[in-house]
């Protein structure tokens, strides 16, 4: 098993879905790969940008709740 990658906020910001980069988002300290989701084409989804901690958006603004995380690949953890 691979060691889990630890991302700082600066490192996570590089994975914004732009210029061939994968699109990653952090939710409650877990980093997910949303690159394969059609809704995240170009690293954007309803005004939200990949490469960020979207915990607040998901739980306080999104109608979906955390069911949208099911099946997404986990790529690491976000550190403070």
């Amino acid at each position: 098993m691979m060691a889990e990658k630890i991302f700082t906020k600066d490192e996570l910001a590089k994975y914004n879905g732009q210029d061939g980069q994968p699109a990653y988002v952090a939710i409650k300290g877990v980093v997910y790969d949303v690159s394969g989701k059609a809704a995240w084409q170009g690293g954007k989804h309803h005004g939200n940008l990949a490469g960020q901690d979207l915990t607040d958006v998901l739980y306080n603004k999104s109608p979906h709740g955390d069911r949208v995380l099911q099946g997404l690949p986990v790529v690491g953890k976000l550190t403070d």
Side-chain angles (χ1 to χ4, degrees):
M1 186 173 129
M2 262 177 47
E4 195 163 66
K5 178 154 176 52
I6 302 296
F7 292 85
T8 64
K9 286 195 177 195
D10 286 343
E11 286 173 319
L12 180 62
K14 297 173 189 169
Y15 296 93
N16 62 6
Q18 305 287 310
D19 302 318
Q21 286 295 329
Y24 294 172
V25 298
I27 306 291
K28 288 190 170 179
V30 178
V31 179
Y32 297 90
D33 184 346
V34 295
S35 305
K37 292 287 181 187
W40 277 96
Q41 289 301 104
K44 295 185 185 112
H45 177 62
H46 292 297
N48 299 302
L49 304 176
Q52 297 183 45
D53 183 340
L54 297 178
T55 303
D56 179 62
V57 171
L58 182 66
Y59 288 101
N60 298 315
K61 298 178 179 89
S62 166
H64 310 303
D66 55 11
R67 72 177 186 266
V68 296
L69 303 175
Q70 293 174 357
L72 287 177
V74 173
V75 292
K77 293 230 181 291
L78 183 65
T79 187
D80 293 334

